[in-house]
Amino acid sequence: MADDGAREDRGEVAGFRSRLSVQNWVHLILAGFVVVACVCTAVGGVFLSRTDDRTTELVDHIQPARAAAFQLQKSLLDQETGVRGYALSGDRSFLDPYEQGKRDEQRYLAAIGGFLDRGEPYAQDLDLIRHAGQTWRREQAEPLIADVRSAGPGAGSAAPAQRSTSAFDAVRTDLALQRKHIETARVRARQQLADARSTQERALLTLVGAFAVMVLVLGVLLHRIVGRPLRMLRTSSDRVRSGTFDRRVRVPGPDDVRAVGAAVEDMRRRLVDELAEAREREALLAEQADELRRSNAELEQFAYVASHDLQEPLRKVASFCQLLDKRYGEELDARGKQYIDFAVDGAKRMQVLINDLLTFSRVGRVLDGRQPIPLDESLDRALDNLAALAEESAATVVREDPLPRVTGDPTGLTMLWQNLLGNALKFRSSDEPCRITVGCVREADEWRVTVSDNGIGVPPEFAEKIFVIFQRLHARDAYEGTGIGLALCRKIVEFHGGRIWLDTSTPAGTRIHFTLPVRSEP
């Protein structure tokens, strides 16, 4: 029964812990810190107030009263000295300290009464001193002054002065008693101040120790309730992030930490499921890659056949048609010769088409010799290949900007230039000499190259069609070709990581832009 009750208590405590969030626990622990700090501050304030009271009593009351008592003694002694001097010499100047002493006496009596409370023995001391002073002045000082004044100058006597001095001893006795009482109060106040400071220091040390212990206890509580579950959650999250998905995520602690742990566990399960699916897809992709490699091998074989075996019958057809025209040409009428010309032309165009298709299929497969190459070199090679056509067309090629050094396939870039320049030469205007302009500017991480001509131009509605394979805008009898040149240019540019397009804003001629990535320096 006792064990069951203990387990129920532990369960209630664990349930209370889990119901609170991290923010609730932080607020609770901060509240504990605030309570401890307030208690320590209050206790420290009490002791500090007591010390301040003792300091105030000593500094603001006893010490000034002690100084005023000395001044009071001096003012009474000045009176006695002035009366004695006047009595011995009859000089009226000795009465000045006497008169000033009477005024100072009243001021310092009032000052001492203000600094000290009216309780015993301070009030009694002041009354005794005041009465003794008044008695001495009434019975000794004033009669003595009157006698000397009535007798005239030089009539002083030592005997009355001696009686006055002897009578003044009562005042001295009262002054000594007052100094004794004030000194006793000063010593007592200093001792109380020392005791208060000592008590304050012990209390402060005790409070600091208690505060440190409470901070340590609250810190340990925060670590156990919040820090440890958060560290477990981080460890589990790092394990999931590193790719270890075989261990379940179990995080105790506050409610929101457990909610995050549950979310991480859900994520782990989804990742496990997605990983299994990804592995299945990877296996399928591997199979498809093998199939693609086999298909590419067959395509290579087909390309070989297309470049050799399929062209041989076409060459025979063209050759025998030409022999037929040569041997029996005189016997054939115009229609027969026309048929033979059709057959020869068709065979030759088929050969050109097969060669163009073979070149198109090889881009990205065979033409992949990437290396740093200046675009000027590939442009020069293309111009050399088109030298005869350029000379026949009286064309002028202008390079407006220096061409950069890029990373690419030299053969592919030469084919790119050759097709672009060849189109400019082919579709030149008959009204003016052909002029081709090549420019290049850098835009962020790309080079934008522009090829412009003053030819017949391309209507804007065909800006996309001209880059589609086998798409022609003119009849074969007007301009020769298979319609594969710009499609080949697009494939070469995209293979190098760029793009190509027709500028439809040019008012005359044709302007084609293409981009190539900027070569990263080693």
Side-chain angles (χ1 to χ4, degrees):
M1 295 294 291
D3 294 340
D4 293 340
R7 281 195 295 269
E8 289 179 358
D9 293 340
R10 287 195 297 269
E12 291 178 358
V13 173
F16 173 73
R17 290 179 182 176
S18 62
R19 284 194 300 271
L20 294 179
S21 64
V22 173
Q23 185 177 11
N24 297 139
W25 276 109
V26 171
H27 288 169
L28 185 62
I29 291 175
L30 286 178
F33 275 118
V34 170
V35 170
V36 172
C38 290
V39 171
C40 293
T41 303
V43 175
V46 171
F47 285 104
L48 185 61
S49 177
R50 292 178 58 185
T51 304
D52 290 341
D53 292 342
R54 297 296 179 270
T55 304
T56 300
E57 181 182 2
L58 179 63
V59 174
D60 295 342
H61 296 280
I62 296 179
Q63 291 286 23
R66 184 168 178 264
F70 281 110
Q71 294 296 328
L72 176 62
Q73 179 180 357
K74 179 178 178 299
S75 66
L76 290 171
L77 290 176
D78 287 343
Q79 294 178 49
E80 191 273 336
T81 303
V83 170
R84 179 157 46 88
Y86 180 67
L88 293 175
S89 65
D91 187 356
R92 295 184 61 86
S93 63
F94 282 100
L95 294 180
D96 293 336
Y98 173 74
E99 298 296 334
Q100 183 64 38
K102 288 197 295 181
R103 292 191 293 272
D104 291 342
E105 176 188 357
Q106 299 303 318
R107 185 170 73 252
Y108 289 122
L109 284 174
I112 295 173
F115 287 132
L116 299 177
D117 57 22
R118 303 303 297 173
E120 297 295 336
Y122 309 114
Q124 183 179 2
D125 290 341
L126 290 176
D127 292 340
L128 289 175
I129 292 173
R130 183 181 294 108
H131 182 267
Q134 292 174 352
T135 301
W136 173 76
R137 281 190 295 272
R138 184 178 62 253
E139 295 180 356
Q140 299 294 332
E142 296 296 336
L144 181 58
I145 292 173
D147 292 342
V148 173
R149 185 178 297 160
S150 60
S157 174
Q162 184 63 35
R163 288 195 300 272
S164 174
T165 301
S166 299
F168 193 78
D169 289 339
V171 177
R172 289 191 177 92
T173 301
D174 293 336
L175 289 172
L177 181 61
Q178 182 191 48
R179 289 198 306 274
K180 178 181 178 182
H181 289 160
I182 293 178
E183 184 64 24
T184 302
R186 188 177 74 88
V187 172
R188 183 174 63 251
R190 289 174 63 87
Q191 184 61 40
Q192 290 177 349
L193 178 59
D195 294 341
R197 286 177 176 174
S198 177
T199 304
Q200 177 183 342
E201 291 175 357
R202 290 194 298 270
L204 288 178
L205 289 176
T206 303
L207 290 176
V208 170
F211 185 78
V213 171
M214 289 300 298
V215 168
L216 180 62
V217 170
L218 294 175
V220 171
L221 180 62
L222 180 63
H223 171 72
R224 290 179 59 87
I225 300 300
V226 178
R228 183 181 298 175
L230 287 177
R231 188 170 61 252
M232 294 175 62
L233 177 60
R234 178 178 179 180
T235 302
S236 301
S237 301
D238 291 341
R239 188 167 58 245
V240 172
R241 183 181 60 184
S242 64
T244 304
F245 305 120
D246 54 344
R247 296 179 60 181
R248 293 188 59 187
V249 178
R250 294 189 179 91
V251 180
D255 180 66
D256 48 359
V257 176
R258 289 187 298 107
V260 175
V264 174
E265 172 61 17
D266 293 339
M267 179 180 66
R268 184 195 68 84
R269 286 198 298 266
R270 288 197 301 271
L271 288 175
V272 169
D273 296 339
E274 292 176 359
L275 182 61
E277 295 177 359
R279 287 173 179 171
E280 293 179 359
R281 289 194 298 269
E282 185 178 356
L284 180 60
L285 287 175
E287 295 177 1
Q288 293 177 349
D290 294 337
E291 183 65 27
L292 183 60
R293 281 192 292 269
R294 288 192 298 270
S295 176
N296 286 337
E298 294 174 357
L299 186 59
E300 289 287 345
Q301 184 64 28
F302 170 76
Y304 177 79
V305 172
S307 62
H308 295 83
D309 298 346
L310 292 180
Q311 292 196 40
E312 182 61 28
L314 293 174
R315 284 194 293 270
K316 286 183 178 181
V317 171
S319 298
F320 279 105
C321 287
Q322 291 173 349
L323 288 174
L324 183 63
D325 180 52
K326 183 178 181 181
R327 177 169 296 185
Y328 302 103
E330 297 179 355
E331 300 178 8
L332 297 175
D333 56 4
R335 179 63 59 86
K337 291 183 178 182
Q338 185 181 17
Y339 290 161
I340 291 176
D341 291 339
F342 285 162
V344 173
D345 181 66
K348 290 182 178 179
R349 284 192 290 106
M350 181 62 72
Q351 285 180 323
V352 174
L353 183 60
I354 289 174
N355 289 329
D356 288 345
L357 279 174
L358 183 62
T359 301
F360 187 82
S361 66
R362 284 179 174 176
V363 174
R365 284 190 306 110
V366 179
L367 305 177
D368 194 11
R370 291 176 182 264
Q371 62 185 40
I373 176 175
L375 279 181
D376 284 305
E377 292 185 4
S378 59
L379 177 57
D380 292 336
R381 286 196 297 269
L383 289 174
D384 291 340
N385 295 338
L386 298 171
L389 182 58
E391 184 178 355
E392 177 187 346
S393 307
T396 303
V397 179
V398 179
R399 307 186 193 191
E400 293 183 336
D401 306 295
L403 298 179
R405 188 180 182 89
V406 299
T407 300
D409 178 67
T411 303
L413 293 176
T414 301
M415 292 171 59
L416 171 65
W417 285 116
Q418 187 168 331
N419 278 278
L420 292 176
L421 298 177
N423 281 350
L425 294 172
K426 182 193 301 184
F427 299 105
R428 63 184 180 274
S429 174
S430 59
D431 299 333
E432 54 183 332
C434 180
R435 178 181 174 86
I436 304 173
T437 303
V438 178
C440 181
V441 295
R442 179 168 180 172
E443 295 179 346
D445 295 333
E446 291 182 332
W447 294 107
R448 179 168 62 83
V449 185
T450 303
V451 179
S452 305
D453 62 59
N454 58 347
I456 62 175
V458 178
E461 59 268 22
F462 299 118
E464 287 295 328
K465 183 179 180 180
I466 60 175
F467 294 103
V468 180
I469 190 171
F470 298 139
Q471 295 296 321
R472 298 173 53 89
L473 303 183
H474 306 279
R476 288 189 179 91
D477 55 353
Y479 296 96
E480 63 179 6
T482 59
I484 203 172
L486 289 179
L488 181 62
C489 291
R490 169 177 277 184
K491 191 169 185 180
I492 293 173
V493 171
E494 291 179 349
F495 169 71
H496 285 82
R499 53 195 177 91
I500 185 170
W501 69 96
L502 174 70
D503 188 351
T504 58
S505 63
T506 180
T510 303
R511 180 180 297 160
I512 292 180
H513 305 281
F514 68 89
T515 62
L516 293 174
V518 174
R519 175 174 174 264
S520 58
E521 296 296 333

